Each structure stands twice: as structure tokens, then as C-alpha cells.
Amino acid sequence: MKNIVAIHDISCFGKCSLTVALPILSAAGIETAVIPTAVLSTHTGGFSGYTYRDLTEDIMPIFRHWQSLGLKFDAAYSGFLGSPEQLGIVEEIFRELAAQGSLIVVDPVMADDGKLYSTFDENFPAGMRRLCERADIIVPNLTEAALILGEPYREGPYTREYIEEILTKLAAIPKKLAVLTGVYFEGDEGRLGAACIDVKTRKTEYALAERVPGSYHGTGDVFASALAAGLLLGREPQAAMQRAADFTAAAAKRTLDNGTDRRYGVAFEEGLGTLQYMS
Ligand code: PXL
């Protein structure tokens, strides 16, 4: 069985980060260890008054304890970080894991819809870019890609030329693959998904699924977790992106049909059974 370390916050209510990464990776048949970066009563997207416990001090001791036990990991996957200092700490963990051959996946969670999340300041994106440079695979959305590249954010729908221009710039950052999410095209606004570029071959590929009306909290984490699972299990990038896009779209569709508050996260649970065939 493959194993992975997932490094994200725990938002206690409002499914995202570890509360989606853990079930999705486990359902795909991957043993998942976690390092929580912060504990919040809810995520920060649309709730006010949330509690926030920063776990910066705990991250390295957790990792050092694991090292003392001789634990090895096939992959590591980071998302929402609890403080700017965690960028350097997680970078060090990735440096050590990469030296042992682990696959490093970074979702540079920090922004959406053209806006940086409220917990980060304007210096954070430059630090996140450095963390992305340590990764084999990065999974930014279009806002995060613009921030990492120091470009202005553009709203969709997009042209193929624009997406390919961003992908070409992103290809300078990770070691293997850059996957861009939130991609949808002029004239094809009923579909939404991801595009990727292979850093070595410069080949670009697309995976679009049904575009469910509205915006749903946590879909970036759902997509990246399913994608990380597929790639770790050896799927080709296009197949892994398509599986992740279909899984995410189905979860958003159930949420729309159920009429649940979109801040509460998407109804991914009923789809988990489809991921066990990932291997
Ligand atoms: O889904 C991304 C995410 C993760 N964790 C926390 C967040 C967000 C997005 O708002 O607030 C705490």
C-alpha cells in the first residue's frame, strides 16, 4: 500500500483541507498520515468569529518523532498553512522527504476569485512560490497562479492561448508537473476543469467536467486530493485530472441538488466508493 503525509489545517466544520484530504486519500487505498498546520472552528471562507489555533511549533517535532521511528513516505501533499513561518518548516520537511525519494505535491492554497485569503499578507505568495519550487507537482487555481507568477488576475472565461501562456510560465516552477484549476473556455461555459503542463516535454493536457452553477467551498481541496491520489497510484496526468474533475463536479452537483449552504463544503462522501478503483 502506498502512503502519504497530508499537511493542511483542520477546519472543524465546513468540509475542506484535512477533513476532505484524509477520507479521499484513504478511500483511494492510500495510507494517510497527517500533520495539522492549524485548528479552526470553521474555515475562513464566509464565516466570521472562527477560532484559530496555530500549530507552527508542533510541525517539526511531529516530523522528527516520525524520523526517530524510521517512518518512510511515498509522497507528501501540502495545502493551507497556518503561518508564514510554516513555509520554511514545510520546505525543510520536503527537502528531507525528497532526498528519500518521496513525491512532493504542493497545492499553494492562499487565494480564490482574485483575492488572497484573509489570514495571509501580501508577502505570502512569494514564500509560497519558493515552496512550489521544492515540489514535483503543483496545483494552483488561476488566482494562485497569478500571485505566484506576479501577474494580474484575470476572470474567466479564458482563451486557450491565455491558459497555455500561464502553463508555460508555471512550468518553470515544479520539477515534474504543473496543474492549473478553475479552467473554463469562452464558448464552452458549461464545462470546468483543469489543465496541466509536463515540465520536461512541455506537453499540455486538459480535463473538463460539468460546470455546476455557483461556487462551492472546498472544491479545490477535493480536486487536489483526488488528483494526488491518482498520480501517486501511477495514473497518467490526463487520466488523474479527469477522474478528479469528475469526482469534484459530482460532489458540487449533489450539493446544489441538496440545497446545502455552500460554505459547508461539498457532498463528496457518496462518491468515495468510485475512488477505490483508482489502483
Ligand atoms: O479550502 C481552502 C481552505 C483551507 N483551509 C482554510 C480555509 C480555506 C479557504 O478559505 O479558510 C482554513
Side-chain angles (χ1 to χ4, degrees):
M1 198 192 272
K2 297 274 190 194
N3 70 352
I4 193 166
V5 186
I7 308 175
H8 306 246
D9 71 286
I10 298 181
S11 288
C12 298
F13 183 82
K15 292 172 284 183
C16 66
S17 42
L18 277 184
T19 65
V20 309
L22 187 49
I24 289 171
L25 290 160
S26 298
I30 297 167
E31 181 185 278
T32 307
V34 302
I35 302 184
T37 58
V39 179
L40 297 79
S41 52
T42 66
H43 60 71
T44 67
F47 298 105
S48 58
Y50 53 83
T51 69
Y52 194 100
R53 183 165 305 274
D54 170 18
L55 296 179
T56 302
E57 302 295 308
D58 297 87
I59 294 177
M60 200 44 105
I62 291 171
F63 184 65
R64 293 281 175 244
H65 180 224
W66 290 353
Q67 280 185 314
S68 77
L69 300 173
L71 301 179
K72 299 273 182 284
F73 296 95
D74 297 304
Y77 157 42
S78 70
F80 183 97
L81 300 182
S83 71
E85 296 74 51
Q86 290 185 13
L87 288 164
I89 297 170
V90 174
E91 193 179 335
E92 174 59 22
I93 291 175
F94 285 169
R95 206 180 54 72
E96 296 184 28
L97 288 175
Q100 298 169 3
S102 307
L103 181 78
I104 308 295
V105 181
V106 173
D107 182 351
V109 174
M110 59 183 167
D112 208 355
D113 292 327
K115 285 192 295 287
L116 200 60
Y117 293 147
S118 58
T119 55
F120 303 119
D121 71 15
E122 73 280 6
N123 299 317
F124 193 79
M128 186 55 95
R129 181 181 168 123
R130 284 194 292 278
L131 187 63
C132 286
E133 286 167 357
R134 284 254 163 247
D136 295 302
I137 298 159
I138 60 171
V139 195
N141 62 33
L142 273 136
T143 306
E144 290 155 351
L147 285 166
I148 286 170
L149 296 171
E151 306 249 329
Y153 168 69
R154 272 207 229 165
E155 269 180 28
Y158 301 98
T159 59
R160 211 159 261 260
E161 293 67 41
Y162 177 71
I163 296 299
E164 303 256 335
E165 185 190 318
I166 296 289
L167 285 175
T168 304
K169 289 178 181 164
L170 286 176
I173 300 175
K175 298 191 180 105
K176 294 187 178 149
L177 189 74
V179 179
L180 184 61
T181 66
V183 172
Y184 65 110
F185 293 111
E186 282 170 7
D188 184 19
E189 286 152 42
R191 294 192 304 157
L192 171 79
C196 72
I197 186 163
D198 181 300
V199 165
K200 294 207 177 72
T201 64
R202 299 282 157 147
K203 184 173 164 202
T204 59
E205 291 180 294
Y206 293 85
L208 302 177
E210 180 188 356
R211 179 160 175 237
V212 181
S215 104
Y216 298 82
H217 197 276
T219 47
D221 297 335
V222 169
F223 175 85
S225 301
L227 176 79
L231 293 172
L232 179 55
L233 294 173
R235 289 190 165 240
E236 292 300 322
Q238 202 286 331
M241 289 196 306
Q242 192 66 56
R243 194 66 168 267
D246 291 338
F247 179 77
T248 309
K253 180 70 167 53
R254 279 183 221 108
T255 309
L256 175 69
D257 292 346
N258 295 343
T260 318
D261 189 322
R262 289 173 193 174
R263 296 173 303 171
Y264 292 5
V266 288
F268 68 89
E269 295 86 344
E270 288 157 71
L272 286 176
T274 64
L275 295 180
Q276 74 198 34
Y277 301 105
M278 278 263 192
S279 49

